[in-house]
């Protein structure tokens, strides 16, 4: 069953009886985002934590992918009330909040996506794309229905508190970041380490008990499939910039002599 267009990520997860496969969109390019949106994948993550994305480029990418049957999640660089307000007013419906280490931090993220009296989101709907500039009837009353909130578990502290984070009302899902989790465990660059894999699987199991979806980042196909078998509900299996980097390297390896001088005289061309 395909992902339903127009629903939030929360709704899509509930409607589809299989893990959703997605990819990172990190280039900052609306054109690249649109190419990825038409790939047939279930979802995209437009990233602003480790990528050159500001409000204007995020808006352009949201507009570029709007006509495609794909769910779009956006990750801000930090769990910040003001920044989250700006993302929501742009029309971001699915948020991934990074580095959520406690129930209190999860509660702050929930408050940031809800209008008073249930939260602290600033009211600017008349000025915002989210409400189509007040063309959506009852937007203020119904805004929370249009927003899906996922929080990222990517430290030892977060993994230890995962049950409490999952229990926060308004957290729709969790997402595991094995790279930062490995670093916090003293295993930098070893996201495939058995201790890291065990921590991820612990969080996946906790989410299943809590009745909430959990996702994970896994570019290695075998690892991704193993996490899917461990009941991951959504997985990021690649990234636009990584695919371009590896693909261009493969072209160079195929067509450029290994030790040829670079055009700027900078010495031998690197081999891959």
């Amino acid at each position: 069953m395909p992902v339903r267009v127009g629903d939030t990520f929360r709704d899509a997860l509930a409607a589809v009886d299989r893990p959703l496969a997605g990819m990172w969109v990190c280039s900052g390019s609306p054109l690249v985002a649109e190419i990825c949106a038409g790939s047939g994948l279930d979802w995209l993550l437009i990233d602003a934590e480790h990528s050159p994305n500001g409000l204007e480029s995020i808006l352009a990418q949201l507009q570029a992918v709007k006509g495609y049957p794909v769910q779009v999640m956006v990750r801000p660089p930090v769990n910040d009330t003001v920044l989250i307000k700006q993302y929501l007013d742009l029309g971001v419906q699915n948020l991934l909040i990074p580095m959520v280490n406690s129930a209190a931090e999860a509660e702050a993220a929930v408050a940031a996506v809800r209008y008073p009296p249930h939260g602290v989101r600033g009211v600017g709907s008349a000025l915002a794309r989210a409400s189509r500039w007040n063309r959506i009837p009852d937007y203020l009353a119904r805004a929370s229905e249009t927003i899906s909130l996922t929080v990222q578990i990517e430290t030892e502290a977060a993994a230890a508190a995962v049950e409490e984070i999952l229990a926060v009302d308004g957290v729709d899902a969790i997402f595991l970041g094995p790279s930062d989790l490995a670093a916090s465990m003293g295993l930098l660059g070893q996201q495939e380490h058995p201790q890291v894999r065990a921590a991820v699987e612990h969080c996946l199991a906790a989410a299943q008990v809590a009745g909430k979806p959990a996702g994970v980042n896994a570019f290695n196909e075998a690892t991704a499939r193993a996490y899917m078998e461990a009941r991951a509900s959504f997985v990021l299996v690649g990234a636009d910039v990584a695919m371009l980097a590896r693909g261009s390297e493969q072209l160079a390896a195929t067509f450029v002599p290994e030790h040829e001088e670079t055009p700027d005289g900078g010495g031998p061309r690197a081999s891959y």
Side-chain angles (χ1 to χ4, degrees):
M1 180 180 181
V3 173
R4 299 184 303 191
V5 182
D7 292 338
T8 65
F9 197 71
R10 173 183 62 244
D11 299 324
L13 287 168
V16 180
D17 189 23
R18 61 174 175 82
L20 302 185
M23 67 179 292
W24 297 81
V25 178
C26 303
S27 66
S29 164
L31 178 62
V32 172
E34 184 173 2
I35 291 169
C36 296
S39 66
L41 287 166
D42 297 307
W43 68 292
L44 305 178
L45 175 62
I46 298 173
D47 181 47
E49 185 184 14
H50 293 295
S51 305
N53 272 311
L55 295 175
E56 291 82 359
S57 65
I58 291 171
L59 173 59
Q61 289 171 85
L62 292 175
Q63 293 169 330
V65 305
K66 180 63 177 176
Y68 292 85
V70 65
Q71 288 287 325
V72 181
M73 190 179 291
V74 182
R75 182 170 72 169
V78 65
N79 185 6
D80 178 79
T81 299
V82 174
L83 198 56
I84 289 171
K85 171 183 63 179
Q86 291 180 298
Y87 277 41
L88 294 177
D89 283 352
L90 282 182
V92 173
Q93 292 184 275
N94 306 306
L95 279 168
L96 175 62
I97 306 301
M99 290 291 177
V100 173
N101 294 314
S102 67
E105 292 179 7
E107 289 167 354
V110 172
V113 305
R114 293 179 172 177
Y115 288 122
H118 306 293
V120 296
R121 178 182 175 185
V123 182
S125 58
L127 312 175
R129 179 176 180 265
S131 69
R132 297 304 185 266
W133 304 277
N134 271 355
R135 291 170 180 164
I136 297 177
D138 300 321
Y139 176 79
L140 292 177
R142 300 179 55 244
S144 61
E145 300 172 16
T146 71
I147 298 166
S148 176
L149 178 67
T150 302
V151 300
Q152 196 155 2
I153 307 296
E154 46 188 338
T155 65
E156 264 195 304
V162 67
E163 289 86 359
E164 291 83 3
I165 293 170
L166 283 161
V168 172
D169 180 48
V171 169
D172 294 306
I174 61 170
F175 185 78
L176 288 309
S179 294
D180 278 303
L181 180 57
S184 77
M185 298 171 69
L187 298 166
L188 182 64
Q190 301 181 61
Q191 54 265 36
E192 300 285 347
H193 192 283
Q195 292 180 29
V196 179
R197 293 278 295 266
V200 171
E201 291 174 5
H202 162 73
C203 293
L204 293 176
Q208 187 175 357
V209 171
K212 291 187 177 181
V216 63
N217 191 52
F219 287 9
N220 179 286
E221 181 179 351
T223 302
R225 293 192 181 280
Y227 286 144
M228 288 177 176
E229 291 176 4
R231 304 302 296 274
S233 299
F234 53 109
V235 183
L236 288 171
V237 295
D240 57 348
V241 291
M243 294 175 68
L244 181 59
R246 302 294 83 78
S248 58
E249 289 163 4
Q250 184 57 52
L251 288 175
T254 302
F255 294 105
V256 179
E258 184 174 346
H259 298 292
E260 180 178 291
E261 291 289 321
T262 58
D264 62 1
R269 189 183 299 271
S271 59
Y272 300 96

